[in-house]
Amino acid sequence: LALSIQFSETHKRLEKTYHELTESEEKYRSLIEGSHQLIVSMTPAFIITSINGAVRNWLGHVPERMVGRHFVDLVFSRAQDPAKLMVLEQLERALVLREPSRFVANMRTSLDEPREMELETELAQNAEGDMLIVKASGRTTSEISRLCLEETQRYAIGNYIVLAEMISLRLTEKVE
């Protein structure tokens, strides 16, 4: 009878632990899959072990097809372009120094076009050992630099005094 009670209590604890683990996994999965950032986990040999759905939005790739591939396959480069080597160097540096790092790289879209992204590396531990995590997002420009680019105009005045006066009036009109 005592063995039966002990078995029953152990079974209840196991069920409770299983449900907690299931809930935790669902929260983690929704957090990763719902993220706007591209999140990639990989082995120390830079083989992708998991990648979230943002890869479809940012680069147009199917996440399931990326698992098992080398991370550098996602980097855009033309012939004689050292971009892949530079990214590989940054990843190796993150592994050796065991410190987070940030850098910018052109990633390859499914249409074989470049997409400039900011990458952040981080080292984590799992049951198998070290795991490298890369978070990537689109390169952002500040509102001021965007407005400067949109509002920039070039004028060639030459020796036209009337045109120069009209331009200076237009410029000072906006300032006031």
Side-chain angles (χ1 to χ4, degrees):
L1 183 65
L3 186 61
S4 176
I5 292 172
Q6 185 181 8
F7 178 74
S8 177
E9 289 173 0
T10 305
H11 180 64
K12 287 178 185 177
R13 278 188 303 206
L14 281 173
E15 278 187 352
K16 181 181 175 191
T17 304
Y18 175 76
H19 288 297
E20 288 173 355
L21 184 61
T22 304
E23 286 176 14
S24 174
E25 184 181 357
E26 287 174 10
K27 286 179 187 176
Y28 173 77
R29 187 174 307 280
S30 67
L31 181 67
I32 297 297
E33 287 300 322
S35 176
H36 184 64
Q37 280 187 318
L38 173 62
I39 302 173
V40 182
S41 63
M42 62 188 97
T43 66
F46 312 120
I47 304 299
I48 298 171
T49 56
S50 67
I51 189 165
N52 70 344
V55 72
R56 188 183 318 265
N57 299 335
W58 285 107
L59 303 174
H61 297 293
V62 178
E64 294 79 22
R65 292 186 187 159
M66 296 292 103
V67 174
R69 293 180 65 182
H70 200 278
F71 181 77
V72 177
D73 292 344
L74 288 175
V75 177
F76 181 85
S77 70
R78 298 268 185 222
Q80 306 299 325
D81 184 11
K84 287 186 177 187
L85 290 174
M86 290 171 36
V87 169
L88 195 57
E89 194 175 283
Q90 287 288 337
L91 295 174
E92 288 172 349
R93 184 172 178 257
L95 275 176
V96 171
L97 297 178
R98 306 184 78 73
E99 293 177 357
S101 67
R102 289 182 151 199
F103 57 97
V104 176
N106 282 327
M107 304 302 285
R108 181 184 305 278
T109 67
S110 60
L111 301 173
D112 200 31
E113 295 175 348
R115 173 127 197 190
E116 191 174 66
M117 299 186 82
E118 292 181 27
L119 282 74
E120 183 179 342
T121 63
E122 196 174 304
L123 197 62
Q125 296 284 324
N126 64 7
E128 291 85 37
D130 288 342
M131 175 176 64
L132 191 64
I133 297 174
V134 175
K135 294 179 274 184
S137 57
R139 187 102 191 260
T140 57
T141 55
S142 69
E143 189 66 21
I144 292 174
S145 62
R146 186 186 63 77
L147 285 173
C148 285
L149 289 174
E150 287 179 2
E151 300 298 325
T152 301
Q153 296 178 6
R154 178 170 279 156
Y155 294 100
I157 296 174
N159 286 329
Y160 301 105
I161 294 175
V162 175
L163 182 59
E165 183 181 1
M166 288 174 51
I167 291 173
S168 66
L169 287 173
R170 284 186 185 169
L171 291 173
T172 55
E173 179 181 295
K174 301 253 181 189
V175 173
E176 295 172 2

